[in-house]
Amino acid sequence: MFNADISRTAFPANFIWGVATSAFQIEGAADADGKGPSIWDDFCRVPGVIADASDGRQACEHYQRWADDLDLVASLGVDAYRFSISWPRVQALGSGAFNEAGFAFYERLVDGMLARGLKPFLTLNHWDLPSALQAKGGWEDRDTVQCFVDYACEVARRLGDRVASICTHNEPWVIAVLGHESGIFAPGIKSRAVAIQVAHHLFLSHGLSITAMRAQGCKADMGIVLNLSPIEPATDSDADREAVRQADGNDLRWYVEALLCGEYPAEFWTAMGTDVPTVLPGDMQAMRVPMDFLGINYYTRVKASAGAPYDVKSGGLEVTDMGWEVYPQGITNLLLRLHRDYAANGLPPLIITENGAAFADTVSADGQVHDEPRLRYLQDHFAAVHEAMRQGVQVDGYFVWSLLDNFEWASGYEKRFGIVHVDYATQQRTLKQSALWYRDFLRGQPS
Ligand code: IFM
């Protein structure tokens, strides 16, 4: 469907290519050097919630192996590395004293990136909220907003002169809905009203922290990362089309319009009834802060159905190990839609902050990992992003999710998203075929 021969030179010279990870998924060292517990440390102890009953205590031992891992990143020839700070590693309780040893780790990491010519793309919140804040109500509690602003300002004060980019929150929809409505992610709460209040506090803390970090002189680019999918009807029925409108309103418009338009879509606000969030005067203006970029995490499209949930396997479609349809056209459609509907609302330049696929990779007898399906996935999605750019959308960068196989949340270590294979028993890293292809693509060598 797309031009499989897409090359780096088809993209602008200043387009940023990268790989991404997050703290909880790779660092391990769960209570090293004064780190406090996070809600994911706690959640992993709840019986039955993690598919393989694992946790993040060891993960990829990146806390110890960070220098080798950065060498690996640099060997790919990427421009940038997207990582997150573990809030409880730098502030054990989420308020009060900061942890010097925790900050020293991220100082080493950021300086290590710069020494290797990599632009640091920092995320402040990739889900690992300090447990001590959850004990006081977590993201449902308005006080957490100010704690986050204080934490963000301290990170910006220490690292803001060296990082290229600061993202406030990764995927607020996941934190709100999976963490507080379905409860399949930490902290495991099941209430729609709480989820909607949580989303409001995430938006508010995003806006207030960017304003505060800029006020103290931080010049890094600032924005947020949303997980978005184009939503399509499972069938042509009117009922399914209505299901699309609802899902799009709740999952895309609610998030994008709060941040870009400073308002919740009126129709969906009304439909929420008593679940609407408490919004204080000034909140909506505060969250609509101008952003330098909007990060988009794209994996697949969503099919909405008014009846039984759509079974992606029924159509004989190619799916990843997560059961997610491989659908590169979806990223083109999504980018075009955002451009069409929100350019007039100050849509900032877009960055694909995550895109990738899980497959059940193994190391073959020849010592290689033959992950051709992932290689094709990346190739087709590069071309699909390029197509949106050709049609006028400003996209400034693309990050593969993920550098390493890692702790995939409720799926534990069973799902492998890395372009680098990790043998968890030995911590041996092996570049998969997809990583070698990405490296060659970046070098401008034909595939
Ligand atoms: O692993 C996650 C990541 O932490 C957030 N975005 C989606 C990825 C794959 O599920």
Side-chain angles (χ1 to χ4, degrees), residues 21-22 25 82 126-127 170-171 174 185 225 227 297-299 322 324 354 356-358 401-402 406-409 411 415 417:
T21 62
S22 88
Q25 292 178 274
R82 176 171 180 245
H126 200 120
W127 310 351
N170 184 71
E171 303 182 350
V174 170
F185 277 15
V225 165
N227 56 305
N297 292 354
Y298 173 82
Y299 288 90
M322 297 296 279
W324 299 347
E354 287 182 26
W401 184 269
S402 180
N406 59 49
F407 178 77
E408 177 51 27
W409 309 110
S411 304
K415 305 296 179 199
F417 272 94

Side-chain angles (χ1 to χ4, degrees), residues 2 6-17 331-337 339 349-352 381-398 441:
F2 293 105
I6 189 89
S7 73
R8 181 179 194 166
T9 52
F11 292 82
N14 59 355
F15 191 86
I16 294 165
W17 293 98
I331 198 167
T332 314
N333 297 350
L334 174 69
L335 295 171
L336 289 172
R337 187 266 175 104
H339 179 68
L350 304 174
I351 297 181
I352 309 306
H381 284 77
F382 289 8
V385 171
H386 184 265
E387 176 57 20
M389 294 168 71
R390 196 188 63 76
Q391 294 190 46
V393 186
Q394 185 178 348
V395 184
D396 286 357
Y398 176 104
F441 168 87

